[in-house]
Amino acid sequence: MKDHGTDEPRRSRLPSTKFWAWSVLWTLVLLPTWVWAQDAATQAMSVEYRDIPGIGSRNVIWVVAQQHLLLAGFVLGVPIFAWVCELVGWKSNEARYDKLAKEFTKLLTSAYATTALFGGILLFLLIGLYPKLMAYLSDIFFPSFLAYCMLFLMETAVLYMYWYGWDAMQGSKKWIHLSLGFLLNLFALGIMIVPNSWATFQASPVVVGDGTAIERAWAAMWNPTWWPVNIHRLIANVVLGGFICGAYAGIRYLLATSRAEREHYDWMGYVGNFIGVFGMLPLPFAGYWLMREIYQYNQQMGITLMGGFLAWLFILQAMLIGVLFLGANYYFWMGITYRIPGSEQRYRRPVLAMLIVLMVCLGVWMTPHSLVASLEEARKMGGTHHPLLGVFGVMSAKMTVSNLMILVTFMSFIMYWRAGKQETAAWARVAKSVMGALLVIAGIAVIVLGVWGYFVPAIIRINYFSVAQVLIVLFIMLTFTPLTAVLMKSARTTTEMVWGQMPIRAAYCLVSNAVMVILLMSLMGYARSSSRVHWHIYGVMRDTSDYAYSPALGYAAAFMSLNTFVFCLLVAFIFWVATMGDAGKKGPEQGQREQDPARVPEGMMPAMAGGSPGKDHHARAQVSGWDGVS
């Protein structure tokens, strides 16, 4: 018993066979693996950048990020007016609004997967090419990443229910479908707001103190430019979505083979252009608010944007916005001429006056502050500033003409709204007189404040005069719109509006407006990113890569054009996918088109941009009916 007692403790102290087996396995296999993993992690932490030979990491990020942002703008903008159209159709019991909303949503479903695809590609590229930057942002914003994922999942689920439940949720269940549309827009708004905080933090970072992860993420999200960018981007997305839907309608209008199709897509083009213009009018005000916040946050960043090498981008911006304003107004004027018989002569002079004002304002807006001149030319001018045109190159002149262009565009819409109608209210004449007087006073006040701005300090012009100009224009818009709506409610229709008679160049105008918006968003995206110069996060994390410089303007313009071209190809693909179902439905009817009395004459099929006088005459002649002339 004694020996047995002394043996038992000895065996308990000896390692078992299983222990030695695991020790050998750890030594031979797991330990080297663990050491390799530690070395790899240490090496990964030391890698700040990776590059793509031949193309460049920044160029790849530039293209992919721009495509994702443009697609996201379209996906976030379309649900807004699709839901509004559905709501209007439900309230007015007009089926065409519901049909229009469904066709808009059909474009949305085609673009949604493409947007998510580019978002995933962008995320993988950022993690692989800029690991240090993404590690820093992830450390701060991780709670918002989780919130973004939840919003994305909820939006996806609601979108599927909204689209596939459209026909099932009619009649007494329509309110359920409208509620889904509201939730879809609510989640889409959240999906836009959360990532905006990541981008604005890079341009206007704030001090992130100690606290919980949620507190630190919230402090970083609430940076000075977050809400200005949210408002600006929300309005820009509506503009983008409206004009792209207008371009879709224009293309379908050109390809229409029946009168019913032409009428439908003519009306759809009008709605898309209206939505684009409706969002475009307040967009410069949101941009002005954003620039004010940038200047207040960091004056040097504002000077880089407006007075440094990026200042020439705003001349290009003025040209693009000017072309967009002209295109939108021109479409309204063509609508008065071709959709409302008898209105051409009545509105010829007002249209000519508005065209002159727009062209003069565009010329002033495009005038640079400093001219690119040779040494001899500079000597003749007495410097880089032209003795006469130099006064038009400062912000006081540009704010004035931009507000005047907004007023003219708004009045084009009011004129189109009132064309073909006769007010019957007893107070209509007084109301029109008051509106005319207010318009004249507003125009004079905007000009006076603009001229006065040359003789006061910049701080007074920026904080008071420019704000007053904006408030004057907003007052006109917010006053005239409901007043005109009340007048038109009791107005007598003197000429019925005729759809499907617009000339071919109207469709090209819609496509041109969409291209201008895409170019404009690409341009301003580059400007906002380049304002950080050699910083990943302004003043916090310096860019130490080989691309720690702002690209030259010519190089940037080439990439803007490339991004616009690629996005137009993607949109064309989305249009094609959206119309595949329609083409399949029309297949059995192809053999009956020759006998269709409403078939579009061959002379009205697509032609080269600009059309021809003969086709304009043909379209004008068809106001009273289809004459079959080719």
Side-chain angles (χ1 to χ4, degrees):
M1 296 294 295
K2 184 177 180 179
D3 293 340
H4 178 74
T6 57
D7 273 357
E8 193 67 61
R10 189 176 301 165
R11 281 200 306 269
S12 64
R13 289 194 297 265
L14 290 175
S16 64
T17 305
K18 184 181 293 186
F19 172 80
W20 284 110
W22 277 108
S23 299
V24 172
L25 178 64
W26 172 262
T27 305
L28 298 179
V29 180
L30 298 182
L31 183 60
T33 304
W34 179 77
V35 173
W36 175 84
Q38 293 296 315
D39 293 341
T42 305
Q43 184 179 5
M45 291 299 294
S46 64
V47 174
E48 297 184 9
Y49 306 99
R50 294 184 180 92
D51 198 10
I52 299 178
I55 303 176
S57 58
R58 182 174 65 178
N59 292 339
V60 174
I61 293 292
W62 192 347
V63 173
V64 175
Q66 189 67 65
Q67 300 308 311
H68 175 64
L69 288 174
L70 290 171
L71 286 166
F74 176 65
V75 167
L76 297 178
V78 168
I80 296 175
F81 51 83
W83 182 74
V84 170
C85 287
E86 185 186 10
L87 184 63
V88 171
W90 179 57
K91 282 292 187 180
S92 62
N93 291 323
E94 291 192 42
R96 62 174 183 168
Y97 284 101
D98 194 77
K99 179 183 177 182
L100 183 65
K102 189 174 183 180
E103 194 156 6
F104 282 159
T105 308
K106 179 172 63 176
L107 296 177
L108 175 65
T109 56
S110 303
Y112 192 78
T114 310
T115 307
L117 172 64
F118 274 91
I121 295 173
L122 176 61
L123 175 62
F124 291 142
L125 289 175
L126 285 173
I127 293 174
L129 299 177
Y130 294 88
K132 181 180 179 180
L133 171 63
M134 293 305 295
Y136 184 89
L137 293 177
S138 299
D139 180 60
I140 295 177
F141 287 105
F142 181 71
S144 67
F145 291 177
L146 300 179
Y148 180 82
C149 292
M150 292 300 299
L151 287 169
F152 190 81
L153 288 173
M154 289 186 290
E155 187 198 25
T156 303
V158 172
L159 173 62
Y160 287 149
M161 290 188 291
Y162 184 70
W163 170 245
Y164 290 106
W166 199 296
D167 296 329
M169 299 179 188
Q170 296 295 326
S172 60
K173 297 181 180 179
K174 190 64 174 178
W175 68 272
I176 302 177
H177 195 260
L178 289 169
S179 301
L180 289 175
F182 176 78
L183 288 176
L184 178 64
N185 282 285
L186 187 64
F187 294 146
L189 183 64
I191 285 179
M192 181 199 71
I193 288 176
V194 173
N196 281 348
S197 66
W198 312 335
T200 54
F201 179 79
Q202 289 186 257
S204 56
V206 294
V207 176
V208 180
D210 297 330
T212 64
I214 296 178
E215 290 173 346
R216 296 175 71 245
W218 181 251
M221 291 177 68
W222 200 271
N223 60 78
T225 59
W226 184 35
W227 275 106
V229 167
N230 287 335
I231 301 301
H232 189 267
R233 186 162 285 176
L234 174 64
I235 300 174
N237 291 343
V238 173
V239 174
L240 177 68
F243 280 123
I244 288 182
C245 287
Y248 169 79
I251 293 173
R252 295 300 300 268
Y253 183 80
L254 290 172
L255 300 176
T257 55
S258 68
R259 181 174 181 176
E261 283 185 333
R262 286 177 63 84
E263 290 177 353
H264 173 68
Y265 289 112
D266 185 15
W267 177 69
M268 184 177 179
Y270 157 73
V271 174
N273 184 72
F274 167 75
I275 293 170
V277 172
F278 183 79
M280 185 175 64
L281 293 178
L283 188 59
F285 305 147
Y288 179 74
W289 178 31
L290 174 59
M291 286 305 305
R292 274 176 55 90
E293 293 297 330
I294 290 176
Y295 265 102
Q296 289 181 352
Y297 175 78
N298 189 286
Q299 189 177 18
Q300 182 57 49
M301 183 183 290
I303 293 174
T304 301
L305 270 170
M306 302 295 292
F309 81 101
L310 296 175
W312 276 94
L313 292 177
F314 288 86
I315 304 300
L316 297 178
Q317 180 211 45
M319 182 186 70
L320 295 174
I321 294 179
V323 173
L324 191 57
F325 271 109
L326 286 173
N329 281 277
Y330 183 58
Y331 188 80
F332 277 136
W333 300 338
M334 280 192 291
I336 293 175
T337 302
Y338 292 95
R339 294 195 187 115
I340 308 173
S343 299
E344 180 181 3
Q345 295 298 326
R346 180 182 176 186
Y347 292 102
R348 182 185 294 272
R349 289 185 178 179
V351 165
L352 179 60
M354 288 189 288
L355 176 61
I356 293 173
V357 172
L358 285 175
M359 294 302 295
V360 172
C361 291
L362 177 58
V364 174
W365 202 356
M366 291 174 56
T367 302
H369 183 54
S370 300
L371 299 179
V372 178
S374 64
L375 181 59
E376 183 180 356
E377 290 171 336
R379 286 173 177 171
K380 290 181 179 179
M381 289 190 300
T384 57
H385 303 287
H386 193 277
L388 177 62
L389 301 180
V391 295
F392 297 139
V394 296
M395 284 306 298
S396 188
K398 299 186 185 304
M399 279 295 297
T400 301
V401 297
S402 63
N403 281 283
L404 290 177
M405 292 180 74
I406 293 172
L407 276 177
V408 169
T409 304
F410 177 70
M411 292 314 299
S412 285
F413 166 69
I414 295 294
M415 187 173 67
Y416 180 84
W417 194 359
R418 293 168 54 178
K421 297 181 179 64
Q422 180 64 45
E423 298 86 354
T424 58
W427 49 276
R429 180 169 297 185
V430 176
K432 291 169 66 176
S433 300
V434 171
M435 291 169 66
L438 286 176
L439 181 63
V440 172
I441 293 172
I444 294 174
V446 168
I447 295 174
V448 169
L449 288 172
V451 175
W452 197 358
Y454 286 96
F455 306 100
V456 296
I459 189 66
I460 295 178
R461 183 183 69 249
I462 294 172
N463 285 339
Y464 299 103
F465 286 12
S466 296
V467 174
Q469 288 177 321
V470 169
L471 293 177
I472 289 171
V473 176
L474 286 176
F475 172 77
I476 293 295
M477 294 169 59
L478 296 176
T479 304
F480 280 31
T481 301
L483 187 58
T484 304
V486 174
L487 284 173
M488 293 298 102
K489 191 173 183 180
S490 60
R492 178 173 55 88
T493 301
T494 58
T495 304
E496 290 291 341
M497 189 171 294
V498 181
W499 299 101
Q501 310 294 343
M502 292 285 276
I504 292 170
R505 63 180 182 272
Y508 288 110
C509 182
L510 291 174
V511 175
S512 173
N513 288 344
V515 174
M516 291 300 107
V517 171
I518 298 167
L519 274 170
L520 189 60
M521 294 184 71
S522 301
L523 173 76
M524 297 316 297
Y526 163 75
R528 283 193 297 270
S529 297
S530 295
S531 64
R532 292 183 281 108
V533 288
H534 54 275
W535 296 93
H536 287 312
I537 302 174
Y538 195 78
V540 176
M541 180 180 289
R542 187 183 293 272
D543 185 357
T544 59
S545 69
D546 295 336
Y547 305 102
Y549 62 91
S550 297
L553 298 184
Y555 185 86
F559 264 86
M560 295 171 206
S561 302
L562 174 64
N563 282 322
T564 301
F565 177 72
V566 172
F567 183 70
C568 288
L569 290 179
L570 290 174
V571 169
F573 173 75
I574 292 170
F575 288 174
W576 175 68
V577 171
T579 57
M580 288 179 69
D582 296 339
K585 293 177 183 178
K586 292 179 182 179
E589 303 173 0
Q590 294 294 331
Q592 302 178 4
R593 284 187 177 177
E594 296 298 328
Q595 288 77 31
D596 185 3
R599 182 173 177 267
V600 177
E602 294 300 327
M604 294 300 293
M605 294 302 287
M608 295 298 293
S612 67
K615 294 188 186 302
D616 284 353
H617 173 73
H618 174 68
R620 197 188 306 271
Q622 293 188 35
V623 170
S624 58
W626 296 92
D627 57 6
V629 178
S630 60

